[in-house]
Every structure is written in C-alpha cells, then in structure tokens.
Amino acid sequence: MFDILFIGLSLSSILLLVALGLAVTYGAMGIINMAHGEMVMIGAYVAVLSNIWLGANLLLAIPLAFLVTAALGYGLERLVVRRLYGRLLDTLLATWGIAILLQQAIRLEFGLTFFGIHIEGLGSGLQNVPVPQFLQGTLGLFGLQLNSYRVFIVLVTLALAGLTWFTLYRTPLGMKVRAIIRNPQMASACGIDVKATNAITFALGSGLAGVAGVLMAGFRSVSPDMGATMVVDGFMVVVTGGVGSLLGTVAAAGILGEINALVAIFFNEIAGRASVLLVVILVILLRPAGLFSFKGR
Amino acid sequence: MTSLLTNYRIWAYLVFFAILLALPLTGDDFWLNRVAKYLCFGMLGAAIALTWGYAGVLNLGQGLFFGLGAYAMAMSLKLASYTSLQQGSDQPVPDFMLWNAQPGASTDLCCITPGSWLWIPFQSQWFGVAMAIIAPVIVATLLGKLIFGQRISGVFVSIITLALVLLARLLLVDAQPVTNGFNGLTDLGYFNLFGTELDPYAVTTYYVITIALIVVLTLARLLVATRAGTVLQATRDSQTRALYLGYDVPAYQTFFFAVSAAISGLAGMLYVVVAEFASPSFLDLTFSVTMVVWAAVGGRGSILGACIGAILINVLEARASETEALVEAWKAIVGLVFVLVVIWLPQGLGGFAHDMMRRLTGRRRPEALKQEVRQ
Amino acid sequence: MTVYALQTEGLGVSFGRFRAVDGVSLNVAKGELRVLLGANGAGKTTLMDLISGRTRSTAGRVLLNGRDVTNLREFRIARAGIGRKFQIPSIFTGLTVRQNIEVAQSRHPGVFSNLRIGRSAADRARVEEVIDLVGLSDQMKTEAGTLSHGQIQWLELGMLMIQSPEVILLDEPTAGMTQAETGKTAAIINRLKGDHTLLVVEHDMAFVRDIAEKITVLHLGRVLAEGTVAEIEGDAAVRAAYLGSQEISAC
C-alpha cells in the first residue's frame, strides 16, 4: 500500500512543481500563462546545455535555470503580458502564441539552423541528462525501497512550496503582491509600484517553472514539446485547488496525484488519467471557486 | 430593409461566396481538394465566433464536436469501403476489427469485438450524416445545461471544455476494438450523394462543401441578427441584467452552444468526405486551440471574418509547407502573428475591416465586441 | 381584504449566525411608491435581493398580487412582474442604446419565439418613445459602454420602463449623480409612479421628499418604523437608530 501511495506522492510532486509557478502567475496575477509549460521546457534545456557545455551536474543547473527562466519571464511580462491585464482570455491566447515561439526557438536553435549552424543539445531531437551519482539507486525507508531521485523530487518540491509560501506571506514583496490581488488601483494609490511588482511576480512564477524543468530533465527525456501538456495539468491543479489559494494548490496536487496513482494501479493508466480529468470537471461544476477557496461575502 | 444594397457587410458575404464559387475555374483539382478541407475549417472558425464573439463563451474543446461529426461520418464511409465489403461475411466489417477480434469470434458486425454492434446502424450513410449533427448537439445541450445552469462562465467554461475534450480523446484511443484507437479510421469509401460518388478530388465534391459553407454562414449570420441573437450578445455583456429582464440566460447560452456544436459536427463530417480519414488528433488540445487562433486572427466578433481567417491561415500554411525549410519557421510566424494580433488587433482582421469601412462610410459599428467580461 | 401589489411576510435570511434580514413584513399597495430607508448594513439591498431572487430567503414569503413567488429563479420572478435596477448600473455595454431598450422589450422571453428578425411598427415606436422619455434620443446608435454615468442610469431606467413590470425595485437610483441629474431622475421616477408599484432605496433626503409617499425604515434587518415623510422625520426611535449608527459609519 505504501508503495502505491509513494507513486501517487511522486506524481503529486510533479504536478505541484508545474502548478506552483502557475499558482503565482494565475492565482496571484490573473494571467493565464499558456507558455508556462515552455518555461519548464526551457529550464530542462538549461540542464541539458549546462551538462553538455559546462559539465555541470543537475544540482548546479537548478539556480542557473531559475535565473534564465526568471529573466525570460521578466522580459515577457514587459513586452507582452503587461498590455493584457484585465483581458483574461486574451492572456491565454497571447501566451499560447509565445509558447509556440519558444518551442520553435529551441527546435530551430534560435534560427541558426537556417545558417547551417548546429548547437549541441538543441534542435528537435530528444535529450537526456544524467542524474548525479548519489541520487541514483534506491533508498530504504519504512522497509520500502524507494527510488532516490523520486524522493529527492518530493523533498525539493516541498521546499519550493515552502519558499513560495514564505515569499508570498512573509516578505514585503509578498505583501505587495497580495495587496495587488485584492485591489490593484488601491495598491497603486498606496504607493506600490504595481507594474514593477507584477513584473517581478511573473519572473518568480517563471523561475519556479525553470526549476521544475531541471528536475524533470532528470527522469524523462527532454524535447521542445514536452511542456505543452504540462500546462494543462498545472491549470487543472490550480483551478481545482481554488484560485489564489496556495494551500489549495498543494492539496489539489496531492489529491489528484494520489487519485491518478490509485486508479491506475487498480484499473489501468488511461483510467487513472481519465479519473483525474473527471474529478477536475466535477469540481468546477460543483464548486466553481475550487476546493479550498475562502468564501467571500 | 431599404439599406440592404448599401450595406457593405452583405456585399462582403456576396463577394466571398462568389470567389468560392468561381474557384474551380482555376482547374487545379489538387488545390480544390485542399481548399475544400479549409472550407470545413472555415465553418469551425464561424462556430467559434458564434460562441466566443457573440456569447463570450470560449470553448477550448470545439474539437470534440468536430471529432464526433468526423467519426460518425467515417464509420459510415468505413463500412462503405471496398476492404470492409471483402471480409467474407454478409455485412461489411471493418478490417481492423478482424485484426482485433478474439480467435474464433464471430465475424459478424454484431459481436466481432466488444461494442462493435454500435456500428450496425452506420451501414446507412444517412444515419452517419444524421449522427454527425445529432451527437454533437446532444453532447452540447447536456454540457450547456450543466455548465450554464450552474452559472459557470469565462475561463472556467474553457477549462471544463478543455478537460472534456482530453477525456474524450483518452476514451476514444482506449476503445481500440471499436474506434481503431491511435490509428483512427482510414481507407474509407466515397460518400454517395443520390447516386453520385463524392470523389474528394472532384469538382462536384468541392461544390457540395462550398454550398454547405454558404448555407452555414448565411444561417449563422441571420441567427445573430434575430432578436435571440441580440439577447445572446446582451447576456455576454451582463448575465445579471438579462436575467432580471426575464430571460432564461442558460437556455440562450445552451441554444447557441448547441448550434455551434452542430456547425462543428457538420464541418467534421464534410472534412472526412474530402480528407478520407478520421483520427484522434481531431481531439488534440492543439487542434482545438488552433481553431481559436483562426477565429482570433479573423475576428472573433465577426462570423465571416473568423471563417475567412481560418481559410486564409490554412492556405498560407499550405503554401509555406511547400518549402521544406519553411515548415518549422511557419509555425513560429503564426505564433508571432497571433501574439501581435491579440495585443494590437483584438478584434482581428474582421474587426479591422469593420473599422476601416466605418471610417470610409462614416457609420457606427453596431455590434462590436468592445470588452470581454472580466473575471 | 385588499390584495397588495407586493407583500413580504416575515421575510428573512441568515448568513451563518448573522441575520441580515430578520422577519420583514411589507405591504405595498398597487401604484404606491415606497421608500426604504436605513443606515448602511440595515439590510435594504439584501431585502431587494430576497424579493428579486438573487439571494434565497430562509424564512417568510414574497407575494406578488397575492401569488407566491418566494425563491423562484431570478428570470421567473422577473417574468412574474418584478423588475429591478441595481446599485451599480448594469446595462449591455457592447450593444447600442437602441438595442439595450429592444432587449428589454421582452414580451416573449423564450429562445425559439425570438428567432425572428425585425419588430412591429408599434414596438419600434414604443422603443423610440422610451428612449425619448429618458432623454437619450441623440445617443440612439451609441454603444452603451461609452455613455456617461448619469446616462447609463437613465438607460437602465428606460429598460425598466419598457419592460414595464408590475413592481419595480430601484436601488439608489441617484448614487453619484449631480444635482441636475438627480432632478431629471426624480422626474423619470415620478412618471413611473401610478402605472407601476415602486420600492426605492435612497439616502438623499431631499430626493426622498421629492418622490416619497410612504417610508419604511429598516434597522439591523428589522422594520423600525413606517409612515409618511413627516411622521418618519419626527420619529424618535428612527432618529436614535439612524443618527446613532450614522456616527459609527462616519468613522
């Protein structure tokens, strides 16, 4: 039984990795960032490239990927997202366009393929990143043999969730962000630089996606379209948990991951995935505000 | 209706129809076949505009309705294909079912594979045609009653429809013995229209689809011009106000949602006639979002604009794909154009054309979609 | 026994343990204009929400001409004959002024009975008459989203006028208006009086004196007093409650 629960926990942690960044950009900023999955993908490519070109291992790629994707997110907010605040569905569409652009940028190696230049690690093929020695193999815990890397992912995810919570609820930046969620005009009137804060928040959400990408690169192959399906899963987690509730996101990731694992074990993989979609649909139908939202007046 | 002849919007429709009808004069059968496919996509664009532009409901699972229509037709045409008739039983049997059948199972359509009996009525191609419209309408009506009855709106509708199309795709692929799973339905027969076989490369087929598109566009345009169409736009702006005027808002939303589904089902059905296959890729998330891209570029608030947007993008894409190196670059260009359109031309090319005409004729835009309902 | 146009019998709702409206009984006669007074939080808007079906009541009944309409769905209550104007004006921003009024002219509210184009000459004349009455003739083809605040309020009143429900609920129709706009609004409301039964929430006492016949004062979800303008202004209990709580709300 515990091994099944651990599989579920492992699935949950991957869902949460993607959803964390979205909880920040969508939950807190009201931006539906369809390019979030591509941020994950870029993070994974940072791991690939730093492995090939710098010989750096996965752990070193984590801060690097955070910086790269956060910078990319910052630029995106300034160039595109900023023009779309208040047009929720338009943010979804514009960022979808950006997602395609990012995918193609990797596939076409930033356009260099047209000049016959090839950068190792980019292009449309599959890439793999080796896991550091000490994370290979298994770990004995409660009499179970658990995959060390999976345990590592669960721990890092929890740490990231804690960090995100701390940033949003215990720092001056988080205070500003939460003020903007409630009322941007009022926040602005109180002297908060709404534009700058939004840009930083978006960068933070994107940076989280980048870290998720590095961790994913350790257990699956990396390709330009790896992010496309992730963003959907991520959104489902955030919406199910309740928009604007970080705790809800964590809980929803846990529940959906476990449901997926349990159904998949007792029936099959497809039933597992289908049950997750079904739960999401039912939650939105029955509790449109999400499972863990605070009820307003 | 005195202004009928001076109304530029009517002229836009007429000119568009005339171009479509004159296209076979080019004599390029290969291109006619392609354009016929894009006309089906044009219907999808119009269907999206109907719900998105006029009702403010962004359906990210339109592919579900297209797929239902496509599969209903493909099942009929599969049974009409030469290979299905040559399987040594009285009734036609799809070849993949024989490959999937248990050893020693009856080779009859009723029980060759679990669920194969579902195919029995599809031996009549008109049953396939009917189901291609009815199935999407039933699904849309039930879904609409659930979603709109619960007063769910905006992005939540998008997420439900998106989850639903992904769910349907999973089930479709999983039901391998009935649907041929990942491989989809290929090797189809021709549709028989009152004795004329619709060869996908024949001019007749092109005309059948063109006329269907003309009828769909005309009806859809008339529909939004009715009082009900105005009420629908009213619900887009303020559901509450419409409710307190005594309108059953969920009923209006559901009705137009179902109409949009019917159009999509028809588009899927006709697409199968010209493309000769149905595949689970019709239910891919990417395809459903791509339809929205077409409508957004063409103009979400204009049925004709969204339709032309879909056709235009596909024609350009086909042209670009003729050069090997451009295939991948084309996708990047679409992505870029799309971002620019959403930022600078939220009403798409259709809205842009409206504004230009308004400036030229000094008239006001009567039904522009100015702002989206905020969440 | 006389049948009142609008009656509430012990109407109430509680949110958790808080009783926002607590056993309110009103009898509004046909053609009467009743003003609801009360400090912030007295339950005026909630009472309107209960009558119009926006909030489900947990106690009591709402009667329209003696017919029970308690807790029907909003559009059913509207069809039964109760129209409403919101505190925050709500109109169809993407439609023209004319289309807004046309949508409000809803004699057949079903989808299928509305699958027609065009309307009768009489209907069109009535639309233009109402637009004229609320003074928006020059804006007939203007997109409603571009109107000024006052014009939007009048447009909404015009929509109620052509919808012509038996009972009209108005929630602070003059909020945020200039004096001139308030005067015009009073004129429009006085025109509605007689043909319709009105229930109006209003704070502006000058405006209330302009339009009111009878006033009901709510306090903490209950009816505190009922009477003519003069009676209410002289009522000691009203003064105590109203002025007392106003000091609090002034903070």
Side-chain angles (χ1 to χ4, degrees):
Chain A
M1 194 61 204
F2 278 111
D3 49 341
I4 299 174
L5 287 180
F6 179 73
I7 293 173
L9 189 63
S10 172
L11 286 173
S12 300
S13 62
I14 291 157
L15 282 177
L16 184 56
L17 268 179
V18 180
L20 264 186
L22 284 175
V24 174
T25 51
Y26 177 50
M29 300 174 68
I31 297 297
I32 299 195
N33 181 13
M34 291 299 273
H36 191 79
E38 276 57 38
M39 293 293 182
V40 175
M41 181 267 291
I42 301 272
Y45 272 97
V46 170
V48 170
L49 292 180
S50 57
N51 179 49
I52 295 176
W53 295 94
L54 306 173
N57 80 12
L58 213 60
L59 296 183
L60 279 172
I62 290 180
L64 208 57
F66 182 86
L67 289 178
V68 169
T69 48
L72 194 61
Y74 188 83
L76 253 178
E77 202 277 345
R78 298 232 112 169
L79 273 174
V80 178
V81 174
R82 168 160 301 184
R83 304 169 200 278
L84 299 171
Y85 285 116
R87 290 158 60 187
L88 186 67
L89 290 177
D90 280 354
T91 61
L92 185 158
L93 298 172
T95 50
W96 174 265
I98 290 165
I100 298 175
L101 276 175
L102 290 176
Q103 279 186 31
Q104 294 312 99
I106 298 294
R107 228 175 243 137
L108 299 169
E109 303 170 33
F110 307 112
L112 292 176
T113 39
F114 292 119
F115 307 100
I117 303 168
H118 174 67
I119 302 172
E120 201 190 340
L122 295 180
S124 49
L126 297 177
Q127 307 289 338
N128 286 296
V129 183
V131 172
Q133 200 72 47
F134 72 97
L135 286 174
Q136 292 174 11
T138 55
L139 199 71
L141 210 65
F142 311 120
L144 291 170
Q145 288 299 309
L146 303 177
N147 179 322
S148 310
Y149 190 66
R150 297 278 178 171
V151 176
F152 173 70
I153 288 185
V154 172
L155 293 178
V156 174
T157 308
L158 285 176
L160 282 178
L163 264 176
T164 311
W165 179 84
F166 184 82
T167 314
L168 284 182
Y169 291 90
R170 289 290 180 272
T171 63
L173 172 71
M175 175 97 84
K176 288 180 190 169
V177 172
R178 285 181 294 127
I180 294 172
I181 300 172
R182 295 292 172 215
N183 190 334
Q185 283 89 10
M186 197 62 210
S188 178
C190 290
I192 296 175
D193 187 343
V194 174
K195 283 186 172 181
T197 312
N198 275 337
I200 292 173
T201 316
F202 199 79
L204 175 69
S206 305
L208 286 169
V211 177
V214 176
L215 293 174
M216 297 220 185
F219 68 89
R220 56 171 288 180
S221 30
V222 176
S223 66
D225 52 10
M226 67 186 284
T229 51
M230 281 180 204
V231 70
V232 176
D233 292 352
F235 269 113
M236 290 185 183
V237 169
V238 175
V239 171
T240 308
V243 179
S245 157
L246 190 62
L247 197 69
T249 303
V250 175
I255 292 169
L256 293 179
E258 291 293 350
I259 288 178
N260 192 346
L262 288 173
V263 179
I265 297 282
F266 289 115
F267 297 94
N268 60 47
E269 201 62 50
I270 288 177
R273 173 111 185 102
S275 60
V276 167
L277 292 169
L278 211 60
V279 168
V280 170
I281 293 174
L282 287 178
V283 167
I284 300 178
L285 278 178
L286 301 177
R287 282 194 64 119
L291 284 177
F292 300 91
S293 59
F294 302 99
K295 197 167 183 186
R297 192 187 148 181
Chain B
M1 296 281 115
T2 46
S3 60
L4 205 61
L5 287 177
T6 55
N7 191 330
Y8 66 86
R9 269 175 285 134
I10 289 179
W11 281 107
Y13 275 85
L14 292 179
V15 168
F16 176 63
F17 294 162
I19 292 174
L20 290 185
L21 289 171
L23 218 57
L25 297 178
T26 57
D28 186 341
D29 288 351
F30 177 72
W31 261 94
L32 271 190
N33 171 267
R34 283 200 158 180
V35 173
K37 286 181 198 166
Y38 305 153
L39 296 189
C40 301
F41 293 159
M43 287 183 205
L44 282 177
I48 300 257
L50 194 61
T51 48
W52 186 23
Y54 286 87
V57 170
L58 176 59
N59 180 355
L60 282 184
Q62 200 84 11
L64 174 61
F65 302 135
F66 183 84
L68 280 174
Y71 267 87
M73 184 80 267
M75 282 161 82
S76 275
L77 295 187
K78 179 76 187 169
L79 290 175
S81 87
Y82 186 68
T83 47
S84 301
L85 295 166
Q86 295 298 305
Q87 302 292 355
S89 68
D90 303 339
Q91 290 172 322
V93 175
D95 47 7
F96 72 86
M97 286 193 181
L98 287 166
W99 307 333
N100 279 298
Q102 297 291 325
S106 148
T107 56
D108 210 38
L109 199 51
C110 72
C111 13
I112 177 166
T113 59
S116 64
W117 53 270
L118 280 170
W119 281 63
I120 294 174
F122 284 91
Q123 289 175 71
S124 154
Q125 57 168 12
W126 290 109
F127 181 82
V129 169
M131 285 315 286
I133 312 284
I134 294 171
V137 167
I138 290 176
V139 173
T141 308
L142 291 178
L143 188 63
K145 282 227 176 297
L146 269 176
I147 297 179
F148 303 124
Q150 293 273 8
R151 302 283 292 279
I152 292 169
S153 64
V155 70
F156 293 104
V157 178
S158 306
I159 294 198
I160 285 192
T161 48
L162 184 155
L164 200 70
V165 74
L166 293 179
L167 183 63
R169 187 184 183 283
L170 274 177
L171 300 179
L172 183 76
V173 172
D174 193 40
Q176 158 85 20
V178 193
T179 61
N180 203 19
F182 269 116
N183 307 313
L185 301 175
T186 51
D187 184 22
L188 306 181
Y190 289 161
F191 187 85
N192 189 318
L193 187 72
F194 309 120
T196 313
E197 294 214 315
L198 293 184
D199 177 341
Y201 290 88
V203 178
T204 324
T205 312
Y206 173 83
Y207 273 122
V208 167
I209 289 176
T210 303
I211 288 165
L213 178 67
I214 291 176
V215 170
V216 162
L217 284 185
T218 312
L219 285 181
R221 189 62 188 83
L222 287 175
L223 195 59
V224 295
T226 61
R227 296 179 184 196
T230 315
V231 175
L232 182 75
Q233 293 170 65
T235 67
R236 174 196 67 205
D237 293 343
S238 170
Q239 289 200 25
T240 317
R241 181 72 272 169
L243 273 175
Y244 286 96
L245 286 174
Y247 290 111
D248 183 355
V249 172
Y252 277 82
Q253 291 171 316
T254 306
F255 174 75
F256 280 89
F257 197 60
V259 170
S260 168
I263 296 175
S264 309
L266 177 71
M269 176 189 112
L270 294 172
Y271 186 80
V272 166
V273 171
V274 269
E276 298 178 276
F277 76 98
S279 127
S281 66
F282 296 166
L283 281 81
D284 279 354
L285 172 62
T286 327
F287 187 50
S288 288
V289 180
T290 307
M291 296 174 204
V292 174
V293 173
W294 300 336
V297 172
R300 66 185 80 159
S302 153
I303 286 175
L304 181 65
C307 174
I308 294 179
I311 298 171
L312 218 55
I313 290 181
N314 278 290
V315 168
L316 289 177
E317 181 171 349
R319 287 284 183 206
S321 317
E322 283 168 2
T323 320
E324 187 77 41
L326 278 180
V327 178
E328 294 298 325
W330 166 255
K331 286 186 195 155
I333 293 168
V334 168
L336 186 66
V337 168
F338 189 46
V339 175
L340 296 178
V341 164
V342 173
I343 295 177
W344 302 110
L345 277 181
Q347 288 309 309
L349 298 175
F352 181 67
H354 258 314
D355 283 346
M356 292 321 277
M357 287 311 291
R358 192 171 53 147
R359 260 180 225 169
L360 286 176
T361 58
R363 264 195 248 172
R364 293 179 195 281
R365 185 161 42 149
E367 53 198 331
L369 171 60
K370 267 288 164 61
Q371 59 198 67
E372 182 185 334
V373 183
R374 290 181 179 209
Q375 293 305 304
Chain C
M1 190 186 118
T2 45
V3 171
Y4 292 98
L6 178 70
Q7 260 182 310
T8 66
E9 289 177 354
L11 197 61
V13 66
S14 11
F15 300 113
R17 290 171 64 190
F18 169 63
R19 292 195 179 155
V21 172
D22 189 6
V24 170
S25 295
L26 288 179
N27 295 312
V28 189
K30 207 168 164 53
E32 184 185 339
L33 188 154
R34 176 73 61 94
V35 171
L36 277 181
L37 273 183
N40 289 330
K44 299 169 307 241
T45 300
T46 310
L47 181 61
M48 289 204 161
D49 285 348
L50 294 177
I51 296 173
S52 62
R54 189 176 178 81
T55 307
R56 293 184 68 82
S57 60
T58 48
R61 298 200 298 162
V62 179
L63 301 176
L64 178 68
N65 284 326
R67 182 187 154 199
D68 193 342
V69 295
T70 319
N71 290 344
L72 292 182
R73 289 168 68 195
E74 295 112 311
F75 75 91
R76 297 220 178 274
I77 292 178
R79 279 187 206 176
I82 299 182
R84 177 173 186 186
K85 189 191 157 318
F86 289 92
Q87 192 169 352
I88 299 162
S90 106
I91 49 152
F92 307 122
T93 47
L95 302 181
T96 63
V97 166
R98 190 189 184 112
Q99 282 176 315
N100 268 277
I101 299 289
E102 283 176 350
V103 168
Q105 192 182 35
S106 57
R107 240 166 285 155
H108 310 282
V111 182
F112 294 99
S113 52
N114 275 319
L115 291 179
R116 311 182 267 140
I117 295 178
R119 40 194 76 229
S120 71
D123 278 2
R124 265 180 286 141
R126 176 70 185 144
V127 166
E128 276 156 31
E129 187 192 349
V130 166
I131 294 177
D132 196 42
L133 279 175
V134 295
L136 292 172
S137 297
D138 294 339
Q139 278 81 25
M140 196 108 80
K141 287 182 175 170
T142 309
E143 223 169 78
T146 61
L147 295 176
S148 74
H149 176 73
Q151 288 172 327
I152 286 176
Q153 302 268 20
W154 297 328
L155 176 59
E156 204 179 0
L157 284 173
M159 289 163 80
L160 280 173
M161 212 180 265
I162 202 161
Q163 182 192 1
S164 197
E166 176 113 30
V167 172
I168 297 180
L169 313 176
L170 299 177
D171 201 348
E172 298 201 31
T174 66
M177 282 193 170
T178 63
Q179 214 151 32
E181 287 173 330
T182 304
K184 187 171 164 186
T185 307
I188 294 176
I189 290 176
N190 277 325
R191 192 183 287 274
L192 287 170
K193 207 154 74 178
D195 296 340
H196 306 274
T197 306
L198 286 105
L199 188 62
V200 185
V201 167
E202 190 51 68
H203 283 298
D204 184 342
M205 276 314 289
F207 178 72
V208 169
R209 275 185 217 109
D210 254 7
I211 59 167
E213 295 159 350
K214 206 168 168 189
I215 296 177
T216 299
V217 182
L218 288 185
H219 183 62
L220 302 175
R222 292 165 185 270
V223 175
L224 183 71
E226 204 167 276
T228 63
V229 179
E231 283 166 19
I232 293 299
E233 280 179 330
D235 191 305
V238 172
R239 283 179 167 248
Y242 210 78
L243 295 177
S245 56
Q246 218 162 33
E247 273 167 39
I248 295 166
S249 66
C251 292

